[in-house]
Amino acid sequence: MTPERRLHVVSGKGGTGKTTVAAALALALADEGRRTLLVEVEGRQGIAQLFETEALPYEERRIAIGPGGGEVYALAIDAERALLDYLQMFYKLGGAGRALRRIGAIDFATTIAPGLRDVLLTGKACEAVRRRRPDGGFVYDAVVMDAPPTGRIARFLGVNHEIAGLARMGPVHHQAQAVMRVLRSAETAVHLVTLLEEMPVQETADGVAELRAAELPVGAVIVNLVRPPVPAPAGAPAAADRAALADALRRAGLPNAERLVEPLLAEGAARAERTRLEAARRAELAALGLPLRELPLLAEGADLAGLYRQARRLREHPW
């Protein structure tokens, strides 16, 4: 599988499993001979937990081999350290920058300056996208960002546009413009993770509208935790059907089989109704006009083996 884009931003409403999907996508993109960088920007160390490794430092570290034999590196971006990098890159502060951190000035700046933290986080990720080897090739074939939730993703990615407008010249202006060129280019895609439930679907639709209004490239909608469909019953079970179910339960060795019939029928009806509602949510997502990718609910949970299974499913699609 050859990635069509080089920066994949993964967002989603809280609880939809966006970090798991981002990690699975990074694995999927690590095809034979390829190198993928998985970037975390929220400071939760969710990537380290998924890959069952120690907390990630502020450095790019190889954490896995993809199903296709490529390498996956990970980076937990720290805004304070990113600001020090920025000051050194553009203003050559060196030891003065470290002194600012010791007295708390760096933490102060990243806490109170509107948008500065987001500028640093997006800038660091875009730097990884643009970075080249001495031979001219890209260091990473793809960068996957585990981004903030859908409710603030357009603001998070668009903050550099605002900064470029405020700072009319100088390094800040040029850096913000360079970041926006990457974020709005054809090599970037913002993927939204959702569930087949009313609130996540609505937030996904709102997020797509905001991203499009901000002229940011929307990629795919990834529907996570999909359950197998249950056919709707043709009607209320007849007495003979209830008796046959009770008899089957008795032959299976279950005590009080007759008392289990009604709860089982009620559970089946509830699951069939859920399937109907999920079909309606799927239709709402299809109306957005974006590619839909589905990942099944893993009965054993999102452990490392499950992560690789999801990655293999994602490898079946173009990205």
Side-chain angles (χ1 to χ4, degrees):
M1 178 180 63
T2 302
E4 297 178 358
R5 298 182 175 97
R6 299 193 56 253
L7 175 58
H8 300 266
V9 180
V10 180
S11 181
K13 179 177 170 58
T16 59
K18 71 176 179 66
T19 298
T20 302
V21 172
L25 181 57
L27 284 168
L29 294 171
D31 211 341
E32 183 176 355
R34 294 185 173 273
R35 287 160 54 103
T36 302
L37 177 65
L38 177 58
V39 174
E40 183 177 73
V41 300
E42 295 186 278
R44 296 185 292 107
Q45 290 292 337
I47 293 172
Q49 295 174 32
L50 280 173
F51 285 94
E52 301 174 5
T53 186
E54 60 186 14
L56 296 174
Y58 182 64
E59 64 181 39
E60 293 159 20
R61 172 179 293 179
R62 192 177 75 172
I63 60 169
I65 302 296
E71 298 178 310
V72 178
Y73 286 72
L75 170 66
I77 302 178
D78 176 84
E80 291 185 34
R81 297 284 297 274
L83 180 54
L84 286 174
D85 289 348
Y86 181 90
L87 293 174
Q88 175 60 24
M89 183 184 304
F90 293 108
Y91 298 103
K92 310 300 181 187
L93 288 189
R98 291 188 292 274
L100 288 173
R101 188 182 190 193
R102 283 197 300 272
I103 66 174
I106 300 297
D107 181 61
F108 180 74
T110 57
T111 300
I112 70 163
L116 177 57
R117 181 177 292 270
D118 291 349
V119 168
L120 296 167
L121 297 174
T122 54
K124 190 69 177 177
C126 289
E127 181 276 326
V129 173
R130 298 192 303 263
R131 195 188 314 156
R132 293 183 180 271
R133 303 188 303 265
D135 63 4
F138 287 112
V139 172
Y140 293 107
D141 297 287
V143 175
V144 179
M145 179 195 295
D146 177 20
T150 313
R152 73 180 196 93
I153 187 61
R155 168 77 177 179
F156 172 76
L157 296 176
V159 68
N160 285 276
H161 178 68
E162 299 178 14
I163 295 297
L166 292 173
R168 297 291 182 177
M169 61 186 67
V172 174
H173 174 79
H174 295 304
Q175 168 71 0
Q177 281 192 321
V179 170
M180 287 312 300
R181 279 196 296 271
V182 173
L183 293 178
R184 285 180 168 169
S185 72
E187 64 182 347
T188 296
V190 184
H191 309 297
L192 300 180
V193 182
T194 187
L195 306 177
L196 291 176
E197 298 174 3
E198 182 177 3
M199 289 297 291
V201 167
Q202 183 59 56
E203 189 162 314
T204 298
D206 294 342
V208 169
E210 291 177 4
L211 289 166
R212 286 171 170 167
E215 300 179 359
L216 291 162
V218 188
V221 173
I222 303 169
V223 186
N224 197 22
L225 308 180
V226 177
R227 296 174 173 82
V230 176
D241 295 326
R242 293 170 185 266
L245 177 57
D247 184 59
L249 294 173
R250 278 193 298 272
R251 284 187 278 107
L254 296 175
N256 301 315
E258 290 79 3
R259 296 174 59 182
L260 297 176
V261 170
E262 291 304 324
L264 284 174
L265 290 175
E267 175 66 18
R271 291 192 62 186
E273 174 64 10
R274 182 184 181 95
T275 296
R276 186 187 68 79
L277 293 174
E278 287 177 346
R281 301 288 89 78
R282 189 178 279 108
E284 292 176 32
L285 293 172
L288 297 174
L290 296 169
L292 291 183
R293 312 288 187 238
E294 296 196 3
L295 290 173
L297 173 69
L298 298 175
E300 65 277 14
D303 58 6
L304 192 55
L307 195 61
Y308 273 87
R309 280 195 288 275
Q310 302 293 51
R312 291 187 180 94
R313 291 184 173 92
L314 292 176
R315 289 183 75 214
E316 299 170 0
H317 303 285
W319 293 94

